[in-house]
């Protein structure tokens, strides 16, 4: 029997319990709870249509929070970002270091401590530059390699456009739950091509993604919830110039 999640109605819970008793006592058939009862109905669709609806739902709203890990170009990044059309804000961790990213329009800022800025590619950073940059929102020049590397982490369309597609033959893998919300799971090549949990409540938003090839796991929340996004105060901002020091 399928476990009953907290989101199910009292009547549905009672009906399921009664059915269990009847089936156990009299071997009745046809008395099973429909896992899609009271949902948005996407659980009844083929896997490819579920994925498409999840992609469209994600594109239909401007804001989202994503949390988890992404492995790209041989490095693993742990993200906790809030995104909207005008930009994004949040934290990124990689290689034992954590820094904050803030994008407002096309202006990208990076905030980190002195240890982060003091780690050059050769392991011998510029301590004076590190002290100057520490705990400031440092404006990242558009010509700096860091701008190209990190701006994608602050862009909802770029980030999700490349993530919410599974690889291989799609199929459904039952009903599940993510943070108390019922979901239907879609897999690519039985999981080797990634898995995507899609909400069965309200709009069919993607709620959890496991990327193919062990390339990370992300959860999505706060769909459509607005948040404040503005440039940092002048006293907290530093424009280093055309290129940042290596870090």
């Amino acid at each position: 029997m399928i476990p009953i999640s907290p989101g199910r109605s009292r009547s549905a819970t009672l009906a399921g319990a009664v059915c269990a008793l009847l089936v156990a006592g009299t071997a009745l058939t046809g008395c099973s709870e429909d896992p899609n009862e009271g949902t948005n109905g996407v659980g009844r669709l083929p896997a490819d249509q579920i994925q498409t609806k999840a992609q469209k739902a994600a594109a239909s709203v401007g804001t989202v929070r994503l949390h988890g890990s992404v492995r790209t170009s041989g490095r693993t990044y742990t993200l906790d970002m809030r995104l909207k059309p005008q930009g994004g804000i949040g934290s990124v961790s990689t290689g034992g270091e954590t820094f904050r990213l803030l994008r407002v329009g096309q202006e990208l800022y990076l905030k980190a401590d002195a240890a982060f800025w003091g780690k050059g590619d050769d392991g011998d950073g510029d301590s004076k530059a590190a002290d100057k940059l520490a705990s400031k929102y440092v404006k990242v020049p558009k010509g700096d390699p860091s701008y190209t590397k990190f701006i994608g982490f602050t862009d909802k369309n770029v980030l999700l456009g490349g993530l919410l597609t599974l690889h291989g033959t799609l199929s459904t893998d039952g009903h599940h739950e993510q943070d108390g919300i019922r979901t239907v799971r879609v897999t690519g090549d039985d999981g080797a091509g990634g898995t995507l949990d899609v909400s069965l409540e309200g709009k069919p938003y993607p709620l959890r993604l496991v990327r193919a090839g062990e390339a990370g796991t992300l959860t999505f929340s706060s769909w459509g919830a607005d948040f404040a996004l503005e440039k940092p105060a002048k006293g907290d901002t530093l424009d280093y110039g055309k290129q940042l020091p290596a870090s």
Side-chain angles (χ1 to χ4, degrees):
M1 181 176 178
I2 297 176
I4 298 171
S5 72
R8 298 179 187 267
S9 67
R10 182 179 178 183
S11 60
T13 302
L14 180 59
V18 170
C19 281
L21 290 173
L22 290 174
V23 171
T26 62
L28 290 176
T29 60
C31 188
S32 61
E33 186 183 357
D34 180 359
N36 293 298
E37 182 181 355
T39 72
N40 56 24
V42 297
R44 297 186 175 96
L45 300 176
D48 59 336
Q49 292 185 29
I50 297 174
Q51 176 181 254
T52 298
K53 282 190 173 291
Q55 292 169 337
K56 289 182 177 179
S60 71
V61 294
T63 59
V64 66
R65 180 181 180 182
L66 60 86
H67 180 272
S69 62
V70 173
R71 184 166 181 81
T72 179
S73 301
R75 293 181 70 92
T76 297
Y77 298 91
T78 300
L79 311 177
D80 187 357
M81 299 294 301
R82 300 197 71 173
L83 309 174
K84 62 169 37 176
Q86 299 89 343
I89 186 170
S91 64
V92 179
S93 300
T94 185
E97 297 289 342
T98 298
F99 54 91
R100 289 188 65 78
L101 286 178
L102 167 64
R103 180 176 67 84
V104 182
Q106 293 303 308
E107 296 184 358
L108 180 66
Y109 302 87
L110 191 155
K111 184 177 183 180
D113 60 18
F116 173 87
W117 292 112
K119 289 187 177 180
D121 291 337
D122 57 1
D124 185 19
D126 186 337
S127 60
K128 290 184 178 180
D131 291 339
K132 182 180 180 181
L133 298 171
S135 300
K136 295 283 189 179
Y137 276 102
V138 180
K139 188 175 181 179
V140 183
K142 290 185 178 180
D144 191 273
S146 297
Y147 187 92
T148 302
K149 179 183 292 186
F150 296 134
I151 195 169
F153 290 154
T154 68
D155 191 312
K156 172 178 176 286
N157 292 334
V158 170
L159 193 58
L160 297 191
L163 290 176
L164 297 180
T165 300
L166 303 178
H167 302 282
T169 302
L170 301 187
S171 59
T172 55
D173 185 26
H175 291 62
H176 300 267
E177 190 175 288
Q178 177 67 30
D179 293 332
I181 300 175
R182 287 177 288 170
T183 67
V184 59
R185 181 168 296 170
V186 179
T187 68
D189 281 347
D190 295 325
T195 69
L196 182 65
D197 279 44
V198 179
S199 176
L200 287 171
E201 302 176 16
K203 284 191 174 183
Y205 292 123
L207 297 184
R208 184 174 184 268
L209 171 73
V210 179
R211 302 182 69 203
E214 299 183 348
T217 299
L218 289 168
T219 60
F220 308 93
S221 61
S222 301
W223 289 101
D226 198 11
F227 60 94
L229 183 68
E230 56 186 22
K231 295 181 182 181
K234 288 186 177 181
D236 294 330
T237 307
L238 182 63
D239 190 341
Y240 194 81
K242 292 184 178 181
Q243 187 169 354
L244 300 179
S247 60

